[in-house]
Amino acid sequence: MPAFQRYQYAFAAHIRNPAASPRPSGVPAARMRVYNELLFNNLEGFLLACFPVCRKLLGARAWKRLVRAFFAQHRCRTPLFRQIPEEFVQWLAGAAVERPDYLPHLAHYEWVELAVDTSTATSDAHTFDPDGNLLGGRPVLDPAAMLVAYPYPVHRIGPRMRPSQPDEELTRILVFRDRDDRVRFVVLNPVTARLLALLSEGNLSGREALNAIAGELSHPDPGAVIAAGAQVLEDLRSQGAILGSARD
C-alpha cells in the first residue's frame, strides 16, 4: 500500500477510535483533536435528533460511550446523513455493548417516526375512492405506514417507566402519515394488528380479511367479527391510516 494510503487509514482509524489507534506521526495533537471533535459531534448530532428518549434515559456519559462504540465499530453502508439513525438501530440490535435490554426496541420505535416522516411512498389519488366501501372493496392503507411490534411497551418508556423484563404480550403499533402529513401512532390490539397485516397485502376486501380472522379465532359468530371490524376500518379511515377503497 502506498505511504499516503497508509497515512489516510491511520488518520481515519484515530478519528474513529482515538483510544485504540495512535495519532499519525507528524500531526499536531491540537489539530487532530479538531478533526476528532468535529466528526464525532457531527455524527452525534444526527443521532440526538432521532433518539432523544434513548439519550435521556442513558444519561450524557453512557450515551456518549454508546455513540463512540457505534462510531468505532460500525461501517455505514450509505453516505446519506438522514440514514445514519437507521444504521444505528441495526448496529444496536446486535452490538455487544452494555445497555438496557429494552434500548434496541426503544431506538427502533424512535427511528420509525423518522422513517415514516421521510418516506417517499405515495398513492395516486386516482387509484382509490376515499369514500369507498371498506367491507366490499379492498381498503388502501397509507403507503408510508409501518406496522411494528415490540416485546416492551416502548410508547410508555421514560424516566419514570423503565421496564425490567418484556411483557407477556407484544405491543403492536401502527405508524402512519395522516392527511396533513403528520406522523401518528396508534396502539393496536392483536386482532386489529392481524387485520391490518392481511390488508397490507392488497388483495383482500375488508370482509374477506375479517372472515379470515373469524376463522383463525374459531369465532362462533363471524357476523359479530365483521361488524366490529367494520367500525375499526371506519375509525382508521377517519384518522387517515386508511385512504379509502381501491378502484378496480
Side-chain angles (χ1 to χ4, degrees):
M1 184 181 296
F4 79 92
Q5 288 186 338
R6 293 199 301 270
Y7 182 87
Q8 288 175 331
Y9 273 101
F11 195 89
H14 182 72
I15 289 175
R16 280 186 176 274
N17 193 349
S21 301
R23 172 168 46 91
S25 61
V27 181
R31 294 186 179 182
M32 192 77 237
R33 188 162 53 250
V34 171
Y35 280 100
N36 290 347
E37 294 178 356
L38 179 64
L39 290 172
F40 178 81
N41 291 343
N42 195 34
L43 174 74
E44 186 186 23
F46 288 114
L47 297 179
L48 279 173
C50 189
F51 306 107
V53 180
C54 288
R55 191 271 183 200
K56 188 173 185 178
L57 292 178
L58 288 176
R61 289 185 179 180
W63 166 258
K64 282 191 176 294
R65 285 197 301 270
L66 188 67
V67 176
R68 174 61 67 184
F70 170 65
F71 194 30
Q73 298 172 12
H74 188 64
R75 298 297 182 266
C76 288
R77 292 165 293 177
T78 171
L80 301 178
F81 290 150
R82 67 178 177 83
Q83 292 184 7
I84 289 176
E86 182 179 4
E87 296 271 355
F88 179 75
V89 168
Q90 294 171 355
W91 170 81
L92 187 59
V97 293
E98 183 179 352
R99 40 80 172 162
D101 289 340
Y102 61 76
L103 195 70
H105 307 287
L106 176 60
H108 187 276
Y109 174 66
E110 291 199 273
W111 165 77
V112 162
E113 181 174 5
L114 173 66
V116 171
D117 186 43
T118 60
S119 172
T120 58
T122 58
S123 285
D124 188 334
H126 298 292
T127 63
F128 64 89
D129 178 2
D131 300 315
N133 188 314
L134 300 182
L135 284 181
R138 291 180 287 111
V140 176
L141 303 181
D142 165 35
M146 295 180 67
L147 188 61
V148 292
Y150 305 100
Y152 294 91
V154 290
H155 60 300
R156 294 194 291 112
I157 293 177
R160 297 185 179 181
M161 197 284 187
R162 302 170 187 254
S164 58
Q165 60 185 15
D167 286 348
E168 293 184 359
E169 186 174 287
L170 292 174
T171 293
R172 299 169 174 86
I173 302 175
L174 175 68
V175 189
F176 65 95
R177 284 197 311 240
D178 65 15
R179 296 180 186 88
D180 297 320
D181 272 340
R182 294 175 301 184
V183 178
R184 299 182 59 181
F185 299 78
V186 179
V187 180
L188 308 173
N189 62 44
V191 176
T192 301
R194 176 59 177 155
L195 172 61
L196 291 176
L198 289 172
L199 294 177
S200 66
E201 299 174 4
N203 52 17
L204 293 179
S205 69
R207 187 182 304 277
E208 288 170 338
L210 289 165
N211 269 322
I213 289 175
E216 293 173 359
L217 296 174
S218 298
H219 199 282
D221 185 0
V225 175
I226 293 173
Q231 294 180 359
V232 170
L233 293 175
E234 289 298 339
D235 180 57
L236 290 173
R237 171 156 56 185
S238 70
Q239 296 185 63
I242 292 178
L243 304 181
S245 62
R247 298 183 189 274
D248 292 328

